Amino acid sequence: MKRLVLSILFAILAGMPAMAGSRTAAVVELFTSQGCSSCPVADKYLGELARRDGVVALAWHVDYWDYLGWRDTLGAPASTERQEAYRRALGNSSKYTPQMIINGRSDVAGSHRTEVEKRIAALPDALPVPVSMKNHDGALMIDIGAGTPADANVMLVCYEPPRTVSVARGENSGRKITYWNAVTSAQTAGMWHGSASTIELPLSSLHVSAGGGCAVLVQDMVAKGMPGRVLGAASLTFDTTGALTRP
């Protein structure tokens, strides 16, 4: 199976344009769970954001609601850990779902569409640091432009294609829910120190299913490794034929 996935990935990237990327204005990270009755409206909304120009949308499925009777099929402890890190960074007293983090700087209930739209509308037209990705001789090249000097992490986040899940138990028992851009892996690809730079990653280090994709986040890291503001981002999403569907 792993060879099949990698073969598909090579075929996908071989067919992509020389460079893909756009000036992203908003990175929206949704913390959600299949076991949360108030989450489906936010999951559907994230699907809309995922198809919107200038937005990188990611769904982190947490695992702490599994005890309610349904184990989230897309859940992972790493998602819960990232949400906890945001909780500490933002000074919140507790975690909750559905929670949306916008550009690493503010949080809002993912079900409060009007408030999310208001915050996105108030953002500049683009994040301050330009980011793009391209395929070059079997490697993924991440190009990051110059910006205000800062020490920032460069994160590569891979995500699933849309998945429809039939929830058999728990608070959403009997419902079929479609989930967009569920994160499957996240790794630190390098550091950015304010000057233009390029990071090269072998394709064999990526784990992307056909129809899924990956995103790059250039993100400030504050005290004790907590996540801070997102300075730049880009994403690539592919269809099952290898065509680039969204830069």
Side-chain angles (χ1 to χ4, degrees):
M1 177 60 72
K2 183 176 181 181
R3 287 185 178 181
L4 176 60
V5 171
L6 288 176
S7 296
I8 293 172
L9 175 61
F10 273 89
I12 287 172
L13 291 178
M16 59 184 271
M19 178 174 291
S22 64
R23 289 305 299 271
T24 299
V27 174
V28 179
E29 299 177 73
L30 171 65
F31 292 90
T32 186
S33 172
Q34 294 171 11
C36 161
S37 62
S38 58
C39 286
V41 64
D43 298 319
K44 182 178 180 180
Y45 179 36
L46 189 80
E48 296 178 30
L49 292 174
R51 290 168 282 179
R52 185 179 299 182
D53 290 339
V55 176
V56 172
L58 300 170
W60 300 83
H61 283 245
V62 300
D63 61 356
Y64 51 81
W65 294 127
D66 290 357
Y67 80 94
L68 294 175
W70 176 256
R71 183 174 182 179
D72 192 314
T73 60
L74 300 168
S79 295
T80 302
E81 291 168 7
R82 182 163 177 82
Q83 188 182 29
E84 171 61 19
Y86 269 129
R87 184 199 67 75
R88 292 185 286 112
L90 296 172
N92 293 344
S93 60
S94 61
K95 300 187 293 291
Y96 65 93
T97 55
Q99 180 188 34
M100 284 184 174
I101 305 289
I102 301 173
N103 287 356
R105 305 189 70 176
S106 65
D107 74 303
V108 61
S111 54
H112 293 173
R113 182 189 184 106
T114 300
E115 181 61 26
V116 175
E117 290 292 344
K118 179 180 177 181
R119 297 194 189 191
I120 292 176
L123 297 173
D125 290 338
L127 289 167
V129 178
V131 180
S132 63
M133 293 180 279
K134 64 183 178 182
N135 174 33
H136 180 69
D137 292 337
L140 181 66
M141 311 293 288
I142 303 169
D143 293 316
I144 306 170
T148 302
D151 288 328
N153 272 7
V154 181
M155 287 184 59
L156 180 68
V157 182
C158 295
Y159 52 85
E160 286 278 284
R163 301 287 192 199
T164 299
V165 176
S166 296
V167 181
R169 294 180 299 279
E171 293 188 349
N172 290 314
S173 179
R175 301 186 66 171
K176 288 186 177 181
I177 305 170
T178 299
Y179 297 99
W180 290 77
N181 295 9
V183 173
T184 55
S185 67
Q187 65 187 81
T188 299
M191 292 289 295
W192 177 80
H193 300 290
S195 59
S197 59
T198 298
I199 296 173
E200 180 178 356
L201 294 174
L203 298 184
S204 58
S205 69
L206 307 181
H207 303 282
V208 184
S209 300
C214 55
V216 170
L217 308 182
V218 179
Q219 185 168 27
D220 268 342
M221 299 303 292
V222 295
K224 299 181 180 179
M226 292 183 291
R229 59 179 178 155
V230 176
L231 304 172
S235 65
L236 292 170
T237 303
F238 308 91
D239 65 23
T240 55
T241 68
L244 177 66
T245 60
R246 182 175 186 273

